[in-house]
Amino acid sequence: FNYGADEYDAEGNEEPKALPEGSETMPYIDESPTMSPQLSARGQESGDSVSPTPTDGLGTGVDAGKGLEMRKLVLSGFLASEEIYINQLEALLLPMKPLKATATTSQPVLTLQQIETIFYKIQDIYEIHKEFYDSLCPKVQQWDSNVTMGHLFQKLASQLGVYKAFVDNYKIALETAEKCSQSNYQFQKISEELKVKGPKDSKESHTSVTMEVPLGRSLASVPFQDLLKHTPADHPDYPLLQDALRISQNFLSSINEDIDPRRTAVTTPKGETRQLVKDGFLVELSEGSRKLRHVFLFTDVLLCAKLKKTAVGKHQQYDCKWYVPLADLVFPSPEESEHCPQVHVIPDHELEDMKMKISAIKSEVQKEKANKGQSRAIERLKKKMFENEFWLLLNSPAIPFRIHNRNGKSYLFLLSSDYERSEWREAIQKLQKKDLQAFVLSSVELQVLTGSCFKLRTVHNIPVTSNKDDDESPGLYGFLHVIVHSAKGFKQSANLYCTLEVDSFGYFVSKAKTRVFRDTTEPQWNEEFEIELEGSQSLRILCYEKCYDKTKLNKDNNEIVDKIMGKGQIQLDPQAVQTKNWHMDVIEMNGIKVEFSMKFTSRDMSLKRTPSKKQTGVFGVKISVVTKRERSKVPYIVRQCIEEVEKRGIEEVGIYRISGVATDIQALKAVFDANNKDILVMLSDMDINAIAGTLKLYFRELPEPLLTDRLYPAFMEGIALSDPAAKENCMMHLLRSLPDPNLITFLFLLEHLKRVAEKEPINKMSLHNLATVFGPTLLRPSEGESKGHLTLASDIWSHDVMAQVQVLLYYLQHPPISFTELKRNTLYFSTDV
């Protein structure tokens, strides 16, 4: 598709990636399913392939018996390879002791620091596997069908952080060993002997032992997948092996991001190698408008390009917009950056409208496919969806990322994620640590470099969901519950907090933020968040040091810049997270460990309104019961939460949109249910987002929606009317049909939301934003009524949800009789309102 002369020409098909010659060698870890030697050989002979995900556990009976026998075969094969691996590690460690002994003499072969660098963490890896082998071996030799060893694999997986430390030091270790070999004949001889002899007592007597040994065999040969495949689902080992597999897959995924060897390079006219380190799509603010660029980071230069328009069948090429040698590239500090006009931010309601349109088109595509519609109609819908997603991708980012050329020119990118901004900054700064020289590319050199971008690129398609293959995972739709427990590994006390990001509609957005834990090296947040997922596949956690210095103001968006202390990402595996139980995990980032737990609730489950079994509280109890008990037409909880929001939260950015801490919301729920006398004191001390979250939760947990199940179909029909007069007549008639407590509470809430929207320039919450938050909460029918209204879980912005938002928006924009007038003209209210 072509998107205008100065925007971006995207291509439809992704080319297969080829491994380049002469690419940088790093110990790439194979994430593909692994098997024991016996089983893998058999599979290759028969041509069978192994499923990339473990099959469900075996049943009982004959199959289970066969499975347990196969389980023994898998373990026996693995033990044999583990023994070879331990011998290799022993051989690698063999010279360490004599080298250390000479280090304290007058003629050392290597210094203690050089020894520590070259052999860093290898002793620890050896001890982990020796202990594992010694524990597992007797269990396999004295085989019993009831034997359990899942805890051993779980423990092995939990110690993978040692490998991360090894990988981080790997390149330095190689460089140090190379330098020592060149400058010291004795060490060179030791290295050569090690390469020729191979591991002691090994059948592979001529296999060289290299620094890749600690990673190459250990992680790629642990047969989690095979053990799961041949372990009955009711066996005690099954959940332990599942957990070990999940931990190892997350670890391997994060490691491969750092050490992926599939780098590509181009040779300059001078015969030098210029390597591609990173590339991706970024939005550049150029001459006041947003342009989608493909940015390429090479070892010595950053190049910004766009794809040229070409005739059908012609070879596609990039057009270089600008480049900056890394020797000349600087990141201006907030106080150094020049003042520039405020970045124009697209209103949230326009972005939400576009999301709704995209989901509506997606729903139409699914219906066409289900009904085996014409391919031309489907392609037309897909093209329209791509155009809408492209608009969203272009207009959503708002986080400024400015780079500066020492020659005086500045460039401004807009990103959607602080994680992404940090990745680009770190990648550039890492390359700048080398001895780089400033240069100017000749027109020929620039032409060669730009011409190489098409073949070298690693990101082929614009990151929109319509570019995904039909068989790709659609991601998760529903709610992810995350508890951020604690963090450790900080070297000095600081004011620390975390943010959580998830991907949505092709880009990442920040969804939650912990409170700031002041002046500590071991923050204990223990805060729970409920994050809505919209086709999400990844969760990112970023750890920050809070800055209170107002001079550190970013002039691109007038926000104080906090320092990122660490960041990490995990894949949201649908099989792993879709359980009722919490999964605890640890994410490692720059030496910092953040401990968190998570569980997932599907959209179908989250749509259920569950009546409370107790009728003494307020949550899950009919509004008529609560108001009758309180002798008031507006529940006390609604009045108090609204009063507190208007007192100190009406100017809070993202009020009602930003998640409150789940534990605080549950605490408030408990005191309102118990009618505790300390409610007012607790409200005055509580974070305002938790109070806003409590109000939303109250309406969400009503056993029947505020606008009632009975009237729901009529509201859906009324909002769809095209004649304005007919629509107004219908909508006002429906409102008057509501029971008194429902009507008056609704009017009370409407007036509050209008007052919130009046502060939109400060709190960024428009009427449309508020309707998006509250519409489904106030209208979504209860379980019995909703069966005819629910759509596919993946269709989060379904037609029904869109209509629910439109109903509330209509009443916000066309206010009926005001709450004040109603109060003046009726005797509905008790004196305490």
Side-chain angles (χ1 to χ4, degrees), residues 747-773:
L747 293 174
F748 188 75
L749 178 65
L750 273 186
E751 290 211 342
H752 165 64
L753 295 179
K754 280 165 26 189
R755 285 191 289 272
V756 172
E758 286 168 6
K759 300 287 184 180
E760 182 190 354
I762 303 169
N763 63 30
K764 313 297 183 192
M765 293 301 290
S766 63
L767 288 176
H768 195 289
N769 288 350
L770 293 164
T772 302
V773 171

Short mmCIF file of all heavy atoms in Angstrom, two decimals, residues 747-773:
data_model
loop_
_atom_site.label_atom_id
_atom_site.label_comp_id
_atom_site.label_asym_id
_atom_site.label_seq_id
_atom_site.Cartn_x
_atom_site.Cartn_y
_atom_site.Cartn_z
N LEU A 747 -27.88 10.61 37.33
CA LEU A 747 -27.79 12.07 37.16
C LEU A 747 -26.70 12.66 38.04
O LEU A 747 -25.97 13.57 37.63
CB LEU A 747 -29.14 12.72 37.48
CG LEU A 747 -30.30 12.39 36.51
CD1 LEU A 747 -31.60 12.98 37.03
CD2 LEU A 747 -29.99 12.90 35.11
N PHE A 748 -26.59 12.14 39.25
CA PHE A 748 -25.55 12.60 40.19
C PHE A 748 -24.16 12.35 39.60
O PHE A 748 -23.28 13.22 39.63
CB PHE A 748 -25.73 11.83 41.50
CG PHE A 748 -24.86 12.33 42.65
CD1 PHE A 748 -25.17 13.50 43.31
CD2 PHE A 748 -23.75 11.60 43.06
CE1 PHE A 748 -24.38 13.94 44.37
CE2 PHE A 748 -22.97 12.04 44.11
CZ PHE A 748 -23.29 13.21 44.77
N LEU A 749 -23.98 11.16 39.02
CA LEU A 749 -22.69 10.80 38.41
C LEU A 749 -22.44 11.64 37.15
O LEU A 749 -21.32 12.11 36.92
CB LEU A 749 -22.68 9.31 38.05
CG LEU A 749 -21.42 8.78 37.36
CD1 LEU A 749 -20.22 8.88 38.29
CD2 LEU A 749 -21.61 7.34 36.90
N LEU A 750 -23.49 11.87 36.33
CA LEU A 750 -23.34 12.67 35.12
C LEU A 750 -22.80 14.06 35.42
O LEU A 750 -21.88 14.54 34.75
CB LEU A 750 -24.69 12.81 34.40
CG LEU A 750 -25.13 11.74 33.40
CD1 LEU A 750 -26.42 12.17 32.73
CD2 LEU A 750 -24.06 11.47 32.36
N GLU A 751 -23.38 14.72 36.41
CA GLU A 751 -22.93 16.07 36.74
C GLU A 751 -21.49 16.08 37.21
O GLU A 751 -20.72 16.99 36.90
CB GLU A 751 -23.86 16.68 37.80
CG GLU A 751 -25.24 16.98 37.26
CD GLU A 751 -25.90 18.18 37.94
OE1 GLU A 751 -25.45 18.56 39.04
OE2 GLU A 751 -26.84 18.73 37.36
N HIS A 752 -21.12 15.04 37.96
CA HIS A 752 -19.72 14.93 38.42
C HIS A 752 -18.78 14.77 37.23
O HIS A 752 -17.75 15.46 37.14
CB HIS A 752 -19.58 13.74 39.36
CG HIS A 752 -18.15 13.33 39.61
ND1 HIS A 752 -17.24 14.14 40.24
CD2 HIS A 752 -17.50 12.18 39.27
CE1 HIS A 752 -16.07 13.51 40.29
NE2 HIS A 752 -16.20 12.33 39.72
N LEU A 753 -19.14 13.88 36.31
CA LEU A 753 -18.27 13.64 35.15
C LEU A 753 -18.15 14.89 34.28
O LEU A 753 -17.08 15.15 33.71
CB LEU A 753 -18.80 12.46 34.32
CG LEU A 753 -18.78 11.08 35.03
CD1 LEU A 753 -19.34 10.00 34.11
CD2 LEU A 753 -17.38 10.71 35.50
N LYS A 754 -19.19 15.67 34.17
CA LYS A 754 -19.12 16.92 33.41
C LYS A 754 -18.15 17.90 34.08
O LYS A 754 -17.39 18.60 33.41
CB LYS A 754 -20.51 17.54 33.28
CG LYS A 754 -21.31 16.87 32.16
CD LYS A 754 -22.81 17.13 32.14
CE LYS A 754 -23.27 18.40 32.76
NZ LYS A 754 -24.75 18.46 32.87
N ARG A 755 -18.16 17.93 35.41
CA ARG A 755 -17.22 18.82 36.14
C ARG A 755 -15.77 18.34 35.94
O ARG A 755 -14.86 19.16 35.83
CB ARG A 755 -17.57 18.87 37.63
CG ARG A 755 -18.81 19.72 37.93
CD ARG A 755 -18.96 19.97 39.42
NE ARG A 755 -19.34 18.78 40.16
CZ ARG A 755 -20.59 18.38 40.37
NH1 ARG A 755 -21.60 19.07 39.87
NH2 ARG A 755 -20.85 17.29 41.06
N VAL A 756 -15.58 17.02 35.89
CA VAL A 756 -14.24 16.48 35.63
C VAL A 756 -13.78 16.90 34.24
O VAL A 756 -12.64 17.34 34.04
CB VAL A 756 -14.23 14.94 35.77
CG1 VAL A 756 -12.89 14.37 35.30
CG2 VAL A 756 -14.48 14.52 37.21
N ALA A 757 -14.68 16.78 33.25
CA ALA A 757 -14.32 17.10 31.87
C ALA A 757 -14.03 18.58 31.67
O ALA A 757 -13.30 18.95 30.75
CB ALA A 757 -15.45 16.66 30.93
N GLU A 758 -14.60 19.44 32.53
CA GLU A 758 -14.31 20.88 32.44
C GLU A 758 -12.83 21.17 32.69
O GLU A 758 -12.30 22.19 32.27
CB GLU A 758 -15.17 21.66 33.43
CG GLU A 758 -16.64 21.77 32.99
CD GLU A 758 -17.54 22.30 34.11
OE1 GLU A 758 -17.00 22.69 35.18
OE2 GLU A 758 -18.78 22.32 33.92
N LYS A 759 -12.16 20.25 33.39
CA LYS A 759 -10.73 20.40 33.71
C LYS A 759 -9.86 19.64 32.70
O LYS A 759 -8.70 19.33 32.98
CB LYS A 759 -10.45 19.88 35.13
CG LYS A 759 -11.21 20.59 36.23
CD LYS A 759 -10.65 21.98 36.47
CE LYS A 759 -11.35 22.66 37.64
NZ LYS A 759 -10.81 24.02 37.89
N GLU A 760 -10.42 19.32 31.54
CA GLU A 760 -9.69 18.53 30.55
C GLU A 760 -8.31 19.09 30.20
O GLU A 760 -7.35 18.32 30.05
CB GLU A 760 -10.52 18.37 29.27
CG GLU A 760 -9.83 17.51 28.23
CD GLU A 760 -10.52 17.54 26.87
OE1 GLU A 760 -11.60 18.14 26.75
OE2 GLU A 760 -9.95 16.97 25.92
N PRO A 761 -8.11 20.43 30.07
CA PRO A 761 -6.77 20.93 29.75
C PRO A 761 -5.72 20.51 30.78
O PRO A 761 -4.54 20.42 30.45
CB PRO A 761 -6.96 22.46 29.75
CG PRO A 761 -8.42 22.66 29.44
CD PRO A 761 -9.12 21.52 30.11
N ILE A 762 -6.17 20.24 32.01
CA ILE A 762 -5.22 19.85 33.08
C ILE A 762 -5.20 18.33 33.26
O ILE A 762 -4.14 17.71 33.29
CB ILE A 762 -5.59 20.53 34.41
CG1 ILE A 762 -5.62 22.06 34.24
CG2 ILE A 762 -4.61 20.14 35.52
CD1 ILE A 762 -6.22 22.81 35.40
N ASN A 763 -6.41 17.73 33.38
CA ASN A 763 -6.44 16.29 33.70
C ASN A 763 -6.46 15.37 32.48
O ASN A 763 -6.39 14.15 32.60
CB ASN A 763 -7.63 15.96 34.62
CG ASN A 763 -8.98 16.25 33.97
OD1 ASN A 763 -9.15 16.15 32.76
ND2 ASN A 763 -9.97 16.60 34.80
N LYS A 764 -6.56 15.96 31.27
CA LYS A 764 -6.53 15.20 30.00
C LYS A 764 -7.70 14.22 29.87
O LYS A 764 -7.63 13.27 29.09
CB LYS A 764 -5.21 14.41 29.84
CG LYS A 764 -3.95 15.18 30.13
CD LYS A 764 -3.75 16.33 29.19
CE LYS A 764 -2.43 17.06 29.45
NZ LYS A 764 -2.33 18.33 28.73
N MET A 765 -8.78 14.46 30.62
CA MET A 765 -9.95 13.57 30.56
C MET A 765 -11.13 14.30 29.93
O MET A 765 -11.79 15.12 30.56
CB MET A 765 -10.31 13.05 31.96
CG MET A 765 -9.27 12.12 32.55
SD MET A 765 -8.95 10.64 31.56
CE MET A 765 -10.49 9.75 31.78
N SER A 766 -11.38 14.01 28.67
CA SER A 766 -12.50 14.62 27.94
C SER A 766 -13.78 13.85 28.24
O SER A 766 -13.76 12.77 28.87
CB SER A 766 -12.22 14.56 26.45
OG SER A 766 -12.14 13.21 26.02
N LEU A 767 -14.91 14.38 27.76
CA LEU A 767 -16.18 13.66 27.92
C LEU A 767 -16.09 12.28 27.26
O LEU A 767 -16.60 11.29 27.79
CB LEU A 767 -17.32 14.47 27.27
CG LEU A 767 -17.77 15.75 27.99
CD1 LEU A 767 -18.82 16.47 27.17
CD2 LEU A 767 -18.32 15.43 29.38
N HIS A 768 -15.42 12.23 26.11
CA HIS A 768 -15.30 10.96 25.40
C HIS A 768 -14.45 9.96 26.20
O HIS A 768 -14.79 8.77 26.29
CB HIS A 768 -14.67 11.19 24.03
CG HIS A 768 -14.82 10.02 23.11
ND1 HIS A 768 -14.13 8.85 23.29
CD2 HIS A 768 -15.60 9.82 22.02
CE1 HIS A 768 -14.46 7.99 22.35
NE2 HIS A 768 -15.35 8.55 21.56
N ASN A 769 -13.36 10.44 26.80
CA ASN A 769 -12.53 9.55 27.62
C ASN A 769 -13.34 8.98 28.78
O ASN A 769 -13.25 7.79 29.11
CB ASN A 769 -11.34 10.32 28.20
CG ASN A 769 -10.30 10.64 27.15
OD1 ASN A 769 -10.36 10.14 26.05
ND2 ASN A 769 -9.35 11.50 27.48
N LEU A 770 -14.13 9.85 29.43
CA LEU A 770 -14.92 9.42 30.59
C LEU A 770 -16.02 8.45 30.16
O LEU A 770 -16.31 7.48 30.87
CB LEU A 770 -15.51 10.64 31.30
CG LEU A 770 -14.46 11.55 31.97
CD1 LEU A 770 -15.04 12.91 32.30
CD2 LEU A 770 -13.90 10.89 33.23
N ALA A 771 -16.60 8.70 28.99
CA ALA A 771 -17.62 7.79 28.48
C ALA A 771 -17.01 6.43 28.17
O ALA A 771 -17.64 5.38 28.39
CB ALA A 771 -18.27 8.38 27.23
N THR A 772 -15.78 6.42 27.66
CA THR A 772 -15.08 5.16 27.36
C THR A 772 -14.84 4.35 28.63
O THR A 772 -14.96 3.13 28.65
CB THR A 772 -13.74 5.45 26.65
OG1 THR A 772 -14.00 6.19 25.46
CG2 THR A 772 -13.01 4.17 26.30
N VAL A 773 -14.50 5.05 29.72
CA VAL A 773 -14.22 4.38 30.99
C VAL A 773 -15.51 3.87 31.63
O VAL A 773 -15.59 2.73 32.09
CB VAL A 773 -13.49 5.35 31.96
CG1 VAL A 773 -13.41 4.73 33.36
CG2 VAL A 773 -12.10 5.67 31.45
#
